[in-house]
Structures are given as structure tokens and as C-alpha cells.
Amino acid sequence: MEKLSSAGIAWRAAQDIPDGAYVNLGIGFPEMVARFQPEGQHVTYHSENGILGMGPAPQEGEEDWDVINAGKKAVTLLPGASIFHHADSFAMVRGGHIDLAVLGAYEVAETGDLANWRIGSRGVPAVGGAMDMVTGARRVAVVTDHVTKTGAPKLVERCSNPLTGVGCVARVYTSLAVVDVADGRFVLREKLAAVSMEALQAVTGAKLHVERDLRELRVPEGL
Amino acid sequence: MDKSIDSVEAAVADIEDGAVVMIAGFGGSGIPVELLHALVARFRATGHPTGLTVVNNNAGTGAVGIAAMLDAGMIAKVICSFPRSSQPQAFQRRYEAGEVELELVPQGTLAERIRAGGAGIPAFYTATGVGTELAAGKPVETFDGRDYLRERWLKADVALVKGALGDRHGNLTYRLAARNFAPIMAMAATTTIAQVTRLVEPGEIEPEQVVTPGIFVQGVVEVPEPAQEEALIRSGEVA
């Protein structure tokens, strides 16, 4: 089945970020969203450890290890950046000051529940700031492949893995579609033209509802 | 008033067995490496302090800092949000062997519990964690139609932090994002020891540049050219 690359998913998610927004990107794949910020728009990126105005990674050899992101990777400070302590950083999150959080997912339920911090009860549990982000940010979006590595649906009726948050996800950008969570159901907003409704529904673990404004999911060539 | 201490050895000499020790830093940034290594050296020489509860965002990387404390066997419990790293073996080994207890706390809740401890607020409510397994055993209350968990303050016997400038009154500044947990941990501990890159006289730090006021700091020790934990790990050196 045709599908978007990770870059394609990240590009699509970036197009919805409004000018002037304060945004937190989860560690790993969601960080890629920053690469596709539309030209002429100003987005301020927040990093949980205590930075607003985080810029891209420095050149190799130019790293300052006291300027890192939540994933402990070296980043840079853009003009207008600020630095603050951890309680202020999470007051920004928990106080509803962050406009958008973009995270990855193991599963998203049609109720908006998110599971993204732990698979079952294996290994050393580590939660970080994900639970704060999904309850505190004004809007929570997910970027993910439409299915797991073994082909199982990630969009489901109920999450089987431990929850990160209840009823918190507003929109999911997948490798096949853009799906909103509305009133406890998945509403399909966009899908790849090459993927039929039947094929899409077959790899989705909950009913996809279609409203009149269903559009084609398109990203620039080469992504 | 002079809160300066002559050596890192003297700075950690009074930390007792079973103490709750907050250690500032996020990943390798802001970790007071020299203080921690002085503590490990003291434990190796005397067997004390042992049975420590360590509060940090993480649980050590590689074989330095908190990982060196774990390897030495002086930590009984870790309170943190993310006990994983690029080299997590020190914690993983102890945890899987049942030799160290883990209290996992969402990162913002951890920060707010520490802040509350420093501000004299015994409990507070947060939406973070509602409906998850980390809500187990926590009272839930509804405010304005939304459920919130009650979380307790977190205080410590000792906080070990890393500053940039520190004066003899205990006023501190920090280097870039190495600030992270230090200001709130300094507030939440009975005794806060700061290692600073440069010890200065009162008045040399402009009052409006002070990040942590000296009231929260009991000891300042100068460590010129301190190791940066991430750089230390990347250099391949070990404690």
C-alpha cells in the first residue's frame, strides 16, 4: 500500500501550525515537524528542560551540552530565546500556555485516549513529560505510521497499552490519513488518493466516519 | 556571613546514611559531577553515606555522576521521571536485580512537587496522570468539572546543584539551560550545597542577575573548569 514517509507526515503536521504558536515537539520523530515550518511563519519551540526559542542542531563540533533539548540532543538558541527553571517550564505546559503539543503514539483510541509511553509492563518504565504535555497543552496532535511494524492498527477503539492521557488527542497525522477525534469517534479529514476507503478502514481498528469535507492528503514531491 | 567551603570533600562530608538527596541536572546538563564524585569517593573509603534516596529527572548515564553512585551501591531508591538514557546500564542492572527502588513521577509533577516542597505547600492538584497507572493510590477531586490528582510535596535533606557564579552569601547564577532543576531543588532541601565555577564576593553578582537567592543555599564550593557530564561521557572517561 502506498504511504507517506516520516518526512511526509511531519510536513503535513507542520502545515497546520498557526503563525505565532508556542509548540512542544515530542522527542524522536515529532522533532522532524520543525524542519517543515512554512516560510514566513514564526513558531516558538519549547523544550521541557527549560528553553523557549529553541533552534536547530548546531554543526558537528559546535555543540554546547548545556543547550540541549528534551531528548538530550544539542540544539541552538534563536534570537529572542529564553531560559527558565523546570517548574516554570512545566507551568507553561500545565497552565495551558503551550498552544500545541505534537507526540508519537503506540495507540490512539477513538475517544482520544493516547498510549505512548510504555508497551505492556516490560522493562524499566520511563514517562518523562508526556503525561503533563497531553493534559496541559491546549491542543494535542499525534504523528505516527498508520499501523505498527507488524501491521496492527494504531487507531483503535480502546488502547491496550498503558495510557498517557484520557481523551486528550485532537488530531492524528498518519502515513495514510489525517483523522480528527470528535465526540468519541474518528472523523476522516484527508486520505491518500491511492488508498481506497475500504483499504484504509481495513488497517484501522475503529470505525472511520466521513463527513462532507473529505480531502485528498497531498504532500510535496520528494518527501 | 561566609558560606564558602574549601573543598568538595568537605562539602559532602556531612551527608548521612539514608538521606534524601536532590541532584540537579537534566541528562548531563547541570549535574554537579565533582560533588557526586566526592560523595562516591567518601563512600568507597568509609562505607558512608549509604541507603540514599536520589531525586533527579533521570537515573544516570554511563559510569559517571549518578551512574557512578549506582555502581558503587550507595543508592537505595530513585525518584525520577525518565530512568532511561543512551547508556542506562547502571540503573537497569540495579533495578532488574531488585537492588534499587524506583518511584516514577511525571516530569511536570516531579518539578511541581519539588517546588511545592520549597514553598511550604504540602499537596496540590494536577490533571497530569488522571486515568493512568501512575494515578494509583492518589486521591482524585473534581474542580470545575475536571478530575485532578492530589500530589504531595517533595523535600530533601540535601540538594547538590551546579552554578556558574556563586557569592559568599550563596547567591547563584547558572550557565544556560544547565539551570533546569537547580533553583527549585535549592528551595526544597534543608541543606543546599552548590558547586560553582567561580566563587565571588557579595556584590559582584548584580542583584537583578541573581537566579537563586542565597537564603536557599547553605554551602558554596568553587570548582573551576567543572566537568560537563555529557562531554565527560563522550570523552570516554569514567569515574
Coordinates of all heavy atoms in Angstrom, one line a residue, chain B residues 106-181:
Chain B
P106 N 5.6 11.7 36.7 CA 5.6 12.5 35.5 C 6.5 13.8 35.8 O 6.5 14.4 36.9 CB 4.2 12.9 35.4 CG 3.4 11.8 36.0 CD 4.3 11.4 37.2
Q107 N 7.2 14.2 34.7 CA 8.2 15.2 34.8 C 7.7 16.6 35.4 O 8.3 17.2 36.3 CB 8.8 15.5 33.5 CG 10.2 16.1 33.4 CD 10.8 16.1 32.0 OE1 10.4 15.2 31.3 NE2 11.6 17.0 31.7
G108 N 6.5 17.0 35.0 CA 6.0 18.3 35.5 C 5.5 18.1 36.9 O 5.7 19.0 37.7
T109 N 5.0 16.9 37.2 CA 4.6 16.6 38.6 C 5.8 16.6 39.5 O 5.8 17.1 40.6 CB 3.8 15.3 38.7 OG1 2.6 15.5 37.9 CG2 3.4 14.9 40.1
L110 N 6.9 16.0 39.0 CA 8.2 16.0 39.8 C 8.6 17.4 40.1 O 8.9 17.8 41.2 CB 9.2 15.2 39.0 CG 10.6 15.1 39.7 CD1 10.5 14.3 40.9 CD2 11.6 14.5 38.7
A111 N 8.6 18.3 39.1 CA 9.1 19.6 39.3 C 8.2 20.4 40.2 O 8.6 21.1 41.1 CB 9.1 20.4 37.9
E112 N 6.9 20.2 40.1 CA 5.9 20.9 40.9 C 6.0 20.4 42.4 O 5.8 21.2 43.3 CB 4.5 20.8 40.4 CG 3.5 21.8 41.0 CD 3.8 23.2 40.8 OE1 4.6 23.6 39.9 OE2 3.3 24.1 41.5
R113 N 6.2 19.1 42.6 CA 6.3 18.5 43.9 C 7.5 19.1 44.6 O 7.5 19.4 45.8 CB 6.4 17.0 43.9 CG 5.2 16.3 43.5 CD 5.4 14.8 43.5 NE 5.7 14.2 44.8 CZ 6.2 13.0 45.0 NH1 6.3 12.2 43.9 NH2 6.5 12.6 46.2
I114 N 8.6 19.3 43.9 CA 9.8 19.9 44.4 C 9.6 21.4 44.8 O 9.9 21.9 45.8 CB 11.0 19.8 43.5 CG1 11.3 18.3 43.3 CG2 12.2 20.5 43.9 CD1 12.3 18.0 42.1
R115 N 8.9 22.1 43.8 CA 8.6 23.5 44.0 C 7.7 23.7 45.3 O 8.0 24.5 46.1 CB 7.9 24.1 42.8 CG 7.9 25.6 42.8 CD 6.9 26.2 41.8 NE 5.6 26.1 42.4 CZ 5.1 26.9 43.3 NH1 5.8 28.0 43.7 NH2 3.8 26.8 43.8
A116 N 6.7 22.8 45.4 CA 5.8 22.8 46.5 C 6.5 22.6 47.8 O 6.3 23.2 48.8 CB 4.7 21.8 46.3
G117 N 7.5 21.6 47.8 CA 8.3 21.4 48.9 C 9.0 22.6 49.4 O 9.1 22.9 50.6
G118 N 9.6 23.3 48.4 CA 10.3 24.5 48.8 C 9.5 25.7 49.2 O 9.9 26.6 49.9
A119 N 8.2 25.6 48.8 CA 7.3 26.8 49.1 C 6.4 26.5 50.2 O 5.5 27.3 50.5 CB 6.5 27.1 47.8
G120 N 6.5 25.3 50.9 CA 5.7 25.0 52.1 C 4.3 24.6 51.7 O 3.4 24.9 52.6
I121 N 4.1 24.0 50.6 CA 2.7 23.6 50.2 C 2.7 22.1 50.2 O 3.3 21.4 49.3 CB 2.4 24.1 48.7 CG1 2.5 25.7 48.8 CG2 1.1 23.6 48.2 CD1 2.5 26.3 47.4
P122 N 2.0 21.5 51.2 CA 2.1 20.0 51.4 C 1.5 19.2 50.3 O 1.9 18.0 50.1 CB 1.4 19.8 52.7 CG 0.6 21.0 52.9 CD 1.2 22.1 52.2
A123 N 0.6 19.7 49.5 CA -0.1 18.9 48.5 C -0.7 19.9 47.5 O -0.9 21.1 47.8 CB -1.2 18.0 49.0
F124 N -0.9 19.4 46.3 CA -1.6 20.2 45.2 C -2.3 19.3 44.3 O -2.1 18.1 44.4 CB -0.5 21.1 44.5 CG 0.5 20.2 43.8 CD1 0.4 19.8 42.5 CD2 1.7 19.8 44.4 CE1 1.3 19.1 41.8 CE2 2.7 19.1 43.8 CZ 2.5 18.7 42.5
Y125 N -3.1 19.9 43.4 CA -3.8 19.1 42.5 C -3.3 19.3 41.0 O -3.0 20.4 40.7 CB -5.3 19.4 42.5 CG -6.0 18.9 43.8 CD1 -6.0 19.6 44.9 CD2 -6.5 17.6 43.8 CE1 -6.6 19.1 46.1 CE2 -7.1 17.1 45.0 CZ -7.1 17.9 46.1 OH -7.7 17.4 47.2
T126 N -3.3 18.2 40.3 CA -2.9 18.3 38.9 C -3.7 17.4 38.0 O -4.1 16.3 38.4 CB -1.4 18.1 38.7 OG1 -1.1 18.2 37.3 CG2 -1.0 16.7 39.2
A127 N -4.0 17.7 36.8 CA -4.6 16.8 35.8 C -3.7 15.8 35.3 O -4.1 14.7 34.8 CB -5.2 17.7 34.7
T128 N -2.4 16.0 35.4 CA -1.4 15.1 34.9 C -1.6 13.7 35.5 O -1.5 13.6 36.7 CB 0.0 15.6 35.1 OG1 0.1 16.9 34.4 CG2 1.1 14.6 34.6
G129 N -1.7 12.7 34.7 CA -1.7 11.3 35.2 C -3.1 10.8 35.5 O -3.3 9.6 35.7
V130 N -4.2 11.6 35.4 CA -5.5 11.2 35.6 C -5.9 10.0 34.6 O -5.6 10.2 33.4 CB -6.5 12.3 35.5 CG1 -8.0 11.8 35.5 CG2 -6.4 13.3 36.6
G131 N -6.4 8.9 35.2 CA -6.8 7.8 34.3 C -5.7 6.9 33.9 O -5.9 6.0 33.1
T132 N -4.4 7.1 34.4 CA -3.3 6.3 34.0 C -2.9 5.5 35.2 O -3.3 5.7 36.3 CB -2.1 7.2 33.6 OG1 -1.5 7.7 34.8 CG2 -2.5 8.3 32.6
E133 N -2.0 4.5 35.0 CA -1.5 3.7 36.1 C -0.7 4.4 37.1 O -0.6 4.0 38.2 CB -0.7 2.5 35.5 CG 0.5 2.8 34.8 CD 1.2 1.5 34.2 OE1 0.5 0.8 33.4 OE2 2.4 1.3 34.5
L134 N -0.2 5.6 36.7 CA 0.5 6.4 37.7 C -0.4 7.2 38.7 O 0.1 7.9 39.6 CB 1.5 7.4 37.0 CG 2.6 6.8 36.2 CD1 3.6 7.8 35.7 CD2 3.3 5.7 37.0
A135 N -1.7 7.0 38.5 CA -2.7 7.6 39.4 C -3.0 6.7 40.6 O -3.7 7.2 41.5 CB -4.0 8.0 38.6
A136 N -2.5 5.5 40.5 CA -2.8 4.5 41.6 C -2.6 5.1 43.0 O -1.5 5.6 43.3 CB -2.0 3.2 41.3
G137 N -3.6 5.0 43.8 CA -3.4 5.4 45.2 C -3.5 6.9 45.5 O -3.4 7.3 46.6
K138 N -3.7 7.7 44.4 CA -3.7 9.1 44.6 C -5.2 9.6 44.7 O -6.0 9.2 43.8 CB -3.0 9.8 43.5 CG -1.5 9.5 43.6 CD -0.7 10.1 42.4 CE 0.7 9.7 42.4 NZ 1.4 10.0 41.2
P139 N -5.5 10.4 45.7 CA -6.9 10.9 45.7 C -7.3 11.7 44.5 O -6.4 12.5 44.0 CB -6.9 11.7 47.0 CG -5.7 11.3 47.8 CD -4.7 10.8 46.8
V140 N -8.5 11.6 44.0 CA -9.0 12.4 42.9 C -10.1 13.3 43.4 O -10.9 13.0 44.2 CB -9.6 11.4 41.8 CG1 -10.1 12.3 40.6 CG2 -8.5 10.4 41.3
E141 N -10.0 14.6 42.9 CA -11.0 15.5 43.2 C -11.4 16.3 42.0 O -10.6 16.5 41.1 CB -10.6 16.5 44.3 CG -11.8 17.2 45.0 CD -11.4 17.9 46.3 OE1 -10.4 17.4 47.0 OE2 -12.0 18.8 46.7
T142 N -12.7 16.6 41.9 CA -13.2 17.3 40.7 C -13.3 18.8 41.0 O -13.9 19.2 42.0 CB -14.6 16.7 40.3 OG1 -14.5 15.3 40.2 CG2 -15.0 17.3 39.0
F143 N -12.7 19.6 40.1 CA -12.8 21.1 40.2 C -13.3 21.6 38.9 O -12.8 21.3 37.8 CB -11.5 21.7 40.5 CG -10.8 21.3 41.8 CD1 -9.9 20.3 41.8 CD2 -11.2 22.0 43.0 CE1 -9.3 19.9 43.0 CE2 -10.6 21.6 44.2 CZ -9.7 20.6 44.2
D144 N -14.4 22.4 38.9 CA -15.0 22.9 37.7 C -15.2 21.9 36.6 O -14.9 22.1 35.4 CB -14.1 24.1 37.2 CG -13.9 25.2 38.2 OD1 -14.9 25.4 39.0 OD2 -12.9 25.9 38.2
G145 N -15.6 20.7 37.0 CA -15.9 19.7 36.1 C -14.8 18.8 35.5 O -15.0 17.9 34.7
R146 N -13.6 19.0 36.0 CA -12.5 18.2 35.6 C -11.8 17.5 36.7 O -11.7 18.1 37.8 CB -11.5 19.1 34.8 CG -10.4 18.3 34.1 CD -9.4 19.3 33.4 NE -8.5 18.5 32.6 CZ -7.4 19.0 32.0 NH1 -7.2 20.3 32.0 NH2 -6.6 18.3 31.3
D147 N -11.4 16.3 36.5 CA -10.7 15.5 37.6 C -9.2 15.9 37.7 O -8.5 16.0 36.7 CB -10.8 14.0 37.3 CG -12.2 13.5 37.5 OD1 -13.1 14.2 38.1 OD2 -12.5 12.3 37.1
Y148 N -8.8 15.9 38.9 CA -7.4 16.2 39.3 C -6.9 15.2 40.3 O -7.7 14.8 41.2 CB -7.2 17.6 39.8 CG -7.6 18.7 38.8 CD1 -8.9 19.1 38.6 CD2 -6.6 19.3 38.0 CE1 -9.3 20.0 37.6 CE2 -6.9 20.3 37.1 CZ -8.3 20.6 36.9 OH -8.6 21.6 36.0
L149 N -5.6 14.9 40.2 CA -5.0 14.0 41.2 C -4.3 14.9 42.3 O -3.8 16.0 42.0 CB -3.8 13.2 40.6 CG -4.1 12.3 39.5 CD1 -2.9 11.5 39.1 CD2 -5.2 11.3 39.9
R150 N -4.4 14.4 43.5 CA -3.7 15.1 44.6 C -2.2 14.5 44.7 O -2.0 13.3 44.7 CB -4.4 14.9 46.0 CG -3.8 15.9 47.0 CD -4.6 15.8 48.3 NE -4.2 14.7 49.1 CZ -4.9 14.1 50.1 NH1 -6.1 14.6 50.4 NH2 -4.4 13.1 50.8
E151 N -1.3 15.4 44.6 CA 0.1 15.1 44.7 C 0.7 15.7 45.9 O 0.4 16.9 46.2 CB 0.9 15.5 43.4 CG 0.4 14.8 42.1 CD 1.0 13.4 41.9 OE1 1.8 13.0 42.8 OE2 0.7 12.8 40.9
R152 N 1.7 15.0 46.5 CA 2.3 15.5 47.7 C 3.6 16.3 47.4 O 4.2 16.1 46.4 CB 2.7 14.3 48.6 CG 1.5 13.6 49.2 CD 0.7 14.4 50.2 NE 1.6 15.0 51.2 CZ 1.9 14.4 52.3 NH1 1.5 13.2 52.6 NH2 2.7 15.0 53.2
W153 N 4.0 17.2 48.3 CA 5.3 17.9 48.2 C 6.4 16.9 48.2 O 6.3 15.8 48.7 CB 5.4 19.0 49.2 CG 5.4 18.6 50.6 CD1 5.4 17.3 51.2 CD2 5.4 19.4 51.8 NE1 5.4 17.3 52.5 CE2 5.4 18.6 52.9 CE3 5.4 20.8 51.9 CZ2 5.4 19.2 54.2 CZ3 5.3 21.3 53.2 CH2 5.3 20.5 54.3
L154 N 7.6 17.3 47.8 CA 8.8 16.5 47.9 C 9.9 17.4 48.4 O 10.1 18.5 47.9 CB 9.2 16.1 46.5 CG 10.2 15.0 46.3 CD1 9.9 13.7 47.1 CD2 10.3 14.6 44.8
K155 N 10.4 17.0 49.6 CA 11.5 17.7 50.2 C 12.7 16.8 50.3 O 12.7 15.6 50.2 CB 11.0 18.2 51.6 CG 9.8 19.2 51.5 CD 9.7 20.0 52.7 CE 8.9 19.3 53.8 NZ 8.6 20.2 54.9
A156 N 13.9 17.4 50.6 CA 15.1 16.7 50.7 C 15.9 17.1 51.9 O 15.8 18.3 52.4 CB 15.9 16.8 49.4
D157 N 16.8 16.2 52.4 CA 17.8 16.6 53.4 C 18.9 17.5 52.8 O 19.3 18.5 53.4 CB 18.4 15.4 54.0 CG 17.4 14.5 54.7 OD1 16.7 15.0 55.6 OD2 17.2 13.3 54.3
V158 N 19.3 17.1 51.5 CA 20.4 17.8 50.9 C 20.0 18.0 49.4 O 19.4 17.1 48.8 CB 21.7 16.9 51.0 CG1 22.8 17.6 50.3 CG2 22.0 16.7 52.4
A159 N 20.4 19.1 48.8 CA 20.4 19.3 47.4 C 21.8 19.6 47.0 O 22.5 20.4 47.6 CB 19.5 20.5 47.0
L160 N 22.2 19.0 45.9 CA 23.5 19.2 45.3 C 23.3 19.9 43.9 O 22.7 19.3 43.1 CB 24.3 17.9 45.2 CG 24.6 17.2 46.5 CD1 25.3 15.8 46.2 CD2 25.4 18.0 47.5
V161 N 23.8 21.1 43.7 CA 23.5 21.8 42.5 C 24.8 22.4 41.9 O 25.8 22.5 42.6 CB 22.5 22.9 42.7 CG1 21.2 22.4 43.4 CG2 23.1 24.1 43.4
K162 N 24.7 22.7 40.6 CA 25.9 23.3 39.9 C 25.5 24.7 39.4 O 24.6 24.9 38.6 CB 26.2 22.4 38.8 CG 27.4 22.8 37.9 CD 27.6 21.9 36.8 CE 28.8 22.1 36.0 NZ 29.0 21.1 34.9
G163 N 26.3 25.7 39.9 CA 26.0 27.0 39.5 C 27.2 27.5 38.6 O 28.2 26.9 38.5
A164 N 27.0 28.7 38.0 CA 28.1 29.3 37.3 C 28.9 30.3 38.2 O 30.0 30.0 38.6 CB 27.5 30.1 36.1
L165 N 28.2 31.4 38.7 CA 28.8 32.2 39.7 C 28.1 31.9 41.0 O 26.9 31.7 41.0 CB 28.6 33.7 39.3 CG 29.2 34.2 38.0 CD1 28.8 35.7 37.9 CD2 30.7 34.0 38.0
G166 N 28.8 32.0 42.1 CA 28.2 32.0 43.4 C 29.0 32.9 44.3 O 30.2 33.0 44.3
D167 N 28.3 33.6 45.2 CA 29.0 34.5 46.1 C 29.0 33.9 47.5 O 28.3 32.9 47.8 CB 28.5 36.0 46.0 CG 27.1 36.2 46.6 OD1 26.7 35.3 47.4 OD2 26.5 37.2 46.2
R168 N 29.7 34.6 48.4 CA 29.8 34.0 49.8 C 28.5 34.0 50.5 O 28.4 33.4 51.6 CB 30.9 34.8 50.5 CG 32.3 34.5 50.0 CD 33.4 35.3 50.7 NE 34.6 35.3 49.9 CZ 35.5 34.2 49.9 NH1 35.2 33.2 50.7 NH2 36.5 34.2 49.2
H169 N 27.5 34.7 50.1 CA 26.2 34.7 50.7 C 25.3 33.6 50.1 O 24.2 33.4 50.5 CB 25.5 36.1 50.5 CG 26.1 37.2 51.3 ND1 25.6 38.5 51.3 CD2 27.1 37.2 52.2 CE1 26.3 39.2 52.1 NE2 27.3 38.5 52.6
G170 N 25.8 32.9 49.1 CA 25.0 31.8 48.5 C 24.2 32.2 47.3 O 23.5 31.4 46.7
N171 N 24.3 33.4 46.9 CA 23.6 33.8 45.6 C 24.2 33.1 44.4 O 25.4 33.0 44.3 CB 23.7 35.3 45.4 CG 22.9 36.1 46.5 OD1 21.8 35.9 46.8 ND2 23.6 37.0 47.1
L172 N 23.3 32.6 43.5 CA 23.8 31.8 42.4 C 23.3 32.3 41.1 O 22.1 32.8 41.0 CB 23.3 30.3 42.6 CG 23.7 29.6 43.8 CD1 23.1 28.2 43.8 CD2 25.2 29.5 44.0
T173 N 24.1 32.1 40.0 CA 23.6 32.1 38.7 C 23.9 30.8 38.0 O 24.7 30.0 38.6 CB 24.4 33.2 37.8 OG1 25.7 32.8 37.6 CG2 24.3 34.6 38.5
Y174 N 23.4 30.6 36.9 CA 23.6 29.3 36.2 C 24.0 29.5 34.7 O 23.7 30.5 34.2 CB 22.3 28.5 36.2 CG 21.8 28.2 37.6 CD1 20.8 29.0 38.2 CD2 22.3 27.2 38.4 CE1 20.4 28.8 39.5 CE2 21.9 27.0 39.7 CZ 20.9 27.8 40.2 OH 20.5 27.6 41.5
R175 N 24.6 28.4 34.2 CA 25.0 28.5 32.8 C 23.9 28.0 31.9 O 23.6 26.8 32.0 CB 26.3 27.7 32.6 CG 26.9 27.8 31.2 CD 28.3 27.2 31.0 NE 28.7 27.6 29.7 CZ 28.3 26.9 28.6 NH1 27.6 25.8 28.7 NH2 28.7 27.3 27.4
L176 N 23.4 28.8 31.0 CA 22.4 28.4 30.0 C 21.4 27.4 30.6 O 20.9 27.7 31.7 CB 23.2 27.8 28.8 CG 24.1 28.8 28.1 CD1 25.1 28.2 27.2 CD2 23.3 29.9 27.4
A177 N 21.0 26.4 29.8 CA 19.9 25.5 30.3 C 20.4 24.5 31.3 O 19.6 23.6 31.7 CB 19.3 24.8 29.1
A178 N 21.6 24.7 31.8 CA 22.0 23.9 33.0 C 21.3 24.3 34.3 O 21.3 23.6 35.3 CB 23.5 24.0 33.2
R179 N 20.5 25.4 34.2 CA 19.7 25.8 35.3 C 18.7 24.8 35.7 O 18.5 24.5 36.9 CB 18.9 27.1 34.8 CG 18.1 27.7 35.9 CD 17.3 28.9 35.4 NE 18.2 29.9 34.9 CZ 17.8 31.2 34.6 NH1 16.6 31.5 34.9 NH2 18.6 32.0 34.1
N180 N 18.0 24.2 34.8 CA 16.9 23.2 34.9 C 16.3 23.0 36.3 O 15.5 23.8 36.7 CB 17.2 21.9 34.2 CG 18.5 21.3 34.6 OD1 18.6 20.8 35.7 ND2 19.4 21.2 33.6
F181 N 16.7 22.0 37.1 CA 16.1 21.7 38.4 C 16.7 22.5 39.5 O 16.2 22.4 40.6 CB 16.1 20.2 38.6 CG 15.1 19.4 38.0 CD1 15.3 18.8 36.7 CD2 13.8 19.2 38.6 CE1 14.3 18.1 36.1 CE2 12.8 18.4 38.0 CZ 13.1 17.9 36.8

